[in-house]
Amino acid sequence: MALVNEHFLKLPGSYLFSDIAKKINTFKITHPKQDIIRLGIGDVTRPLPPVCIEAMHKAVDEMADESTFRGYGPEQGYDFLIEAILKNDFAPRGVHLSPSEIFINDGAKSDTGNIGELLRWDNSMGITDPVYPVYVDSNIMCGRSGVLGEDGKWSNVTYLPCTEENHFIPELPTHRVDLLYLCYPNNPTGTTLTKTELKKWVDYALDNDTLIIFDAAYEAYIREDDVPHSIYEIKGAKKCAIEIRSFSKTAGFTGLRCGYTVVPKELTAATLTGDRVALNKLWLRRQCTKFNGTSYVTQRAAEAIYTPEGKEQVKANIDYYMQNASTMKEGLEAAGLKVYGGVNAPYLWLKTPDGISSWRFFEQMLYEANVVGTPGVGFGPSGEGFIRLTAFGRHDDCVEAMKRIRKWMA
């Protein structure tokens, strides 16, 4: 008989956002006339940039013509998109990569979960806490996380708390770990690291032969000059880091699905005998075996965001969301609440008042203000006592939500 991968049985009963959806549906059944404003799940609301629509229409027409039809594309992505990425995302920041170091994907979530396939199941790992759930859950699935303790922590995971006391800047591990996940600008706290702070992590990785998985999905939202957009802005990072990016929040591709992963050729990992193996070649082999590439039509849409018109349209959408973040931050502070983030990221990290638990405050805000957030404890033990709010809603809804919260907290 077939035996199940029992590591899957260690996963929580359902995904965080599924639990939230169930609670919202229960509320809607019992309060059918109430209008809910959803500021919880980080899905965008602005439509795709017009240049992307135009590019897709053209690409679809090409697929209807025998002379321009495309079948299977290169698993690592088309050259036209890779060249646009190198020219626009990295070269202006003094980062030089080769085309073969870029791998186009169907969104950052997939590669974030799959990248661990390159590594043995018994590698130790470190995560900032709170953290995007996929980092932990994907490692649970292969047995890398160990067993869950009564304190809500996994035995083979080193937790690096991000708290008010340390200004949400985690301390370096006190021992070496094999694998380290960093996300900046951070989801869920909306906070960032300066170049000096990020250099400490790169130096740690180089000194300890640690592999960093750097999630830069929100780099387009950075506003402050001293915040790096790529880990490769830090000297030596190509020897210790994989960077994963997404067009989902940058250009509204949550429903279209496209992003990319950078695996430098300088990056290696060891065998049990001490031999060094280039991860770039392993990832290429993995992708060629398990992934047939992102669609041609989608990649043409992604290419279009790098045109002059595309850059303007993408910037307009990002400015729209960051204006939401500013409006929400001001509104929450006016209500007497403590809130972090919202300056270089579309997320706000709201401290619950009077020590109320995350889930309790979530339910109070839903039932009494009809506003939905995400309980911070769902992102890890250090998230208890916080709520994550997103700035991806419609502006009028964000304004109305702040009115409701101010009235509720009065």
Side-chain angles (χ1 to χ4, degrees):
M1 61 180 173
L3 298 177
V4 70
N5 177 356
E6 295 188 9
H7 296 305
F8 272 71
L9 305 182
K10 300 176 184 178
L11 289 164
S14 60
Y15 191 48
L16 169 64
F17 297 107
S18 298
D19 290 337
I20 292 172
K22 290 177 183 177
K23 291 181 179 292
I24 293 173
N25 288 335
T26 298
F27 175 84
K28 289 171 67 176
I29 291 171
T30 57
H31 301 77
K33 296 183 179 180
Q34 297 291 71
D35 175 42
I36 299 173
I37 298 177
R38 300 172 185 253
L39 301 177
I41 296 177
D43 197 2
V44 295
T45 54
R46 303 288 293 169
L48 290 169
V51 291
C52 296
I53 301 297
E54 294 170 10
M56 284 191 289
H57 280 304
K58 181 178 178 181
V60 168
D61 288 339
E62 290 179 34
M63 298 296 275
D65 187 322
E66 185 175 358
S67 65
T68 53
F69 171 78
R70 306 253 184 161
Y72 289 124
E75 291 89 351
Q76 65 270 34
Y78 283 100
D79 289 342
F80 61 78
L81 178 54
I82 291 174
E83 291 295 341
I85 288 168
L86 294 173
K87 180 180 178 181
N88 292 278
D89 287 348
F90 294 103
R93 303 191 183 281
V95 176
H96 300 287
L97 298 164
S98 69
S100 57
E101 293 175 308
I102 305 291
F103 297 83
I104 308 301
N105 60 36
D106 59 354
K109 185 176 183 179
S110 296
D111 279 6
T112 299
N114 292 332
I115 200 73
E117 292 184 25
L118 299 185
L119 307 169
R120 281 177 55 93
W121 65 271
D122 54 356
N123 278 274
S124 62
M125 57 178 288
I127 59 168
T128 55
D129 174 36
V131 74
Y132 181 44
V134 171
Y135 304 156
V136 178
D137 288 357
S138 60
N139 281 284
I140 294 170
M141 291 174 177
C142 71
R144 190 174 290 121
S145 298
V147 296
L148 184 63
E150 294 183 0
D151 59 357
K153 297 182 178 180
W154 293 87
S155 60
N156 198 37
V157 176
T158 296
Y159 289 81
L160 307 169
C162 299
T163 65
E164 282 186 291
E165 289 71 27
N166 62 19
H167 306 288
F168 302 100
I169 300 173
E171 297 291 333
L172 294 171
T174 56
H175 57 277
R176 76 166 300 278
V177 295
D178 299 309
L179 178 62
L180 180 65
Y181 287 85
L182 295 177
C183 173
Y184 288 99
N186 185 255
N187 177 17
T189 67
T191 56
T192 56
L193 297 180
T194 64
K195 290 182 179 179
T196 299
E197 291 159 350
L198 184 56
K199 183 179 184 301
K200 295 177 183 178
W201 291 91
V202 171
D203 289 345
Y204 167 86
L206 293 172
D207 290 342
N208 291 276
D209 200 7
T210 298
L211 173 62
I212 296 176
I213 307 299
F214 191 76
D215 185 347
Y218 304 97
E219 63 81 28
Y221 290 82
I222 293 171
R223 292 293 190 269
E224 296 178 323
D225 293 336
D226 195 34
V227 177
H229 290 248
S230 168
I231 195 169
Y232 304 122
E233 294 179 47
I234 310 301
K235 185 178 180 180
K238 291 181 185 178
K239 295 181 179 179
C240 65
I242 291 172
E243 181 166 301
I244 300 176
R245 292 208 188 184
S246 171
F247 297 127
S248 287
K249 311 302 169 56
T250 299
F253 277 38
T254 52
L256 198 55
R257 311 308 306 148
C258 193
Y260 63 89
T261 295
V262 184
V263 186
K265 291 183 178 179
E266 298 175 41
L267 184 64
T268 64
T271 65
L272 287 176
T273 58
D275 296 326
R276 305 300 298 195
V277 178
L279 294 183
N280 180 280
K281 290 184 178 180
L282 292 187
W283 187 243
L284 176 61
R285 184 67 173 86
R286 188 267 176 202
Q287 292 298 81
C288 290
T289 301
K290 292 190 173 185
F291 185 55
N292 267 341
T294 305
S295 77
Y296 171 70
V297 174
T298 297
Q299 291 191 61
R300 281 299 187 191
E303 178 195 26
I305 73 172
Y306 294 108
T307 64
E309 298 83 2
K311 291 177 181 180
E312 289 181 5
Q313 293 167 14
V314 166
K315 182 179 183 300
N317 280 350
I318 291 176
D319 287 346
Y320 179 94
Y321 293 133
M322 291 308 292
Q323 179 58 52
N324 285 350
S326 178
T327 297
M328 293 166 64
K329 192 175 182 72
E330 292 174 4
L332 294 168
E333 290 174 344
L337 296 166
K338 276 191 174 182
V339 61
Y340 302 90
V343 176
N344 294 299
Y347 293 117
L348 296 101
W349 194 234
L350 170 65
K351 184 176 183 180
T352 63
D354 304 320
I356 300 173
S357 72
S358 293
W359 276 110
R360 179 60 179 159
F361 190 77
F362 164 87
E363 292 176 347
Q364 289 180 345
M365 191 164 65
L366 172 60
Y367 280 81
E368 298 175 32
N370 304 151
V371 175
V372 176
T374 304
V377 71
F379 297 99
S382 293
E384 180 58 274
F386 288 87
I387 292 284
R388 190 194 74 172
L389 298 175
T390 81
F392 290 119
R394 295 191 301 269
H395 186 68
D396 290 347
D397 284 344
C398 292
V399 172
E400 174 61 24
M402 295 307 102
K403 289 181 180 178
R404 293 183 186 182
I405 291 174
R406 285 197 300 271
K407 182 178 179 181
W408 169 46
M409 296 298 298

